[in-house]
Amino acid sequence: MQDQVSKIVSFHERSTASVESLARSREDNSGLSIKEVMSIVKESGAAPGTKEFFIASELFTKKAEREMFMTLDTPQERFEWLTMKHFVKYGH
């Protein structure tokens, strides 16, 4: 019985290590932190209190949204994109 318990414990430890490894591999390694992207949001003309700043604060908790925003080349393109995202979500 002790041998079976040892096998179960060993299996559990391997499973836990595997899950932890998978979780680490899915972490955001892009270097684009929320704080860094929100700084770029401000540089694009979206000041705190504006609808563009607000939508950015909602969107950029998601890595894919931050990455998409950063593909845009100019501050104007970024500002216009934020304006459109706000319009699509809220209709005004």
Side-chain angles (χ1 to χ4, degrees):
M1 183 188 251
Q2 186 175 3
D3 187 45
Q4 289 177 342
V5 170
S6 292
K7 286 179 183 179
I8 291 170
V9 168
S10 178
F11 176 77
H12 174 61
E13 288 172 348
R14 286 192 312 261
S15 296
T16 301
S18 179
V19 168
E20 288 172 352
S21 175
L22 179 60
R24 278 191 303 276
S25 71
R26 297 183 133 200
E27 289 178 0
D28 180 1
N29 294 322
S30 67
L32 298 172
S33 72
I34 294 170
K35 185 175 183 174
E36 291 168 325
V37 174
M38 290 305 291
S39 178
I40 295 167
V41 166
K42 290 178 191 175
E43 291 171 8
S44 75
T50 63
K51 63 185 180 185
E52 290 82 9
F53 188 87
F54 173 75
I55 196 71
S57 70
E58 286 192 322
L59 293 172
F60 298 150
T61 59
K62 298 180 184 105
K63 178 183 175 186
E65 295 286 2
R66 293 192 309 269
E67 289 178 346
M68 179 60 216
F69 179 75
M70 294 306 297
T71 66
L72 303 170
D73 294 324
T74 67
Q76 182 179 354
E77 287 177 349
R78 290 177 177 143
F79 186 85
E80 290 171 358
W81 184 82
L82 290 170
T83 301
M84 286 186 274
K85 290 294 269 189
H86 188 276
F87 180 79
V88 167
K89 186 167 184 176
Y90 295 106
H92 59 323

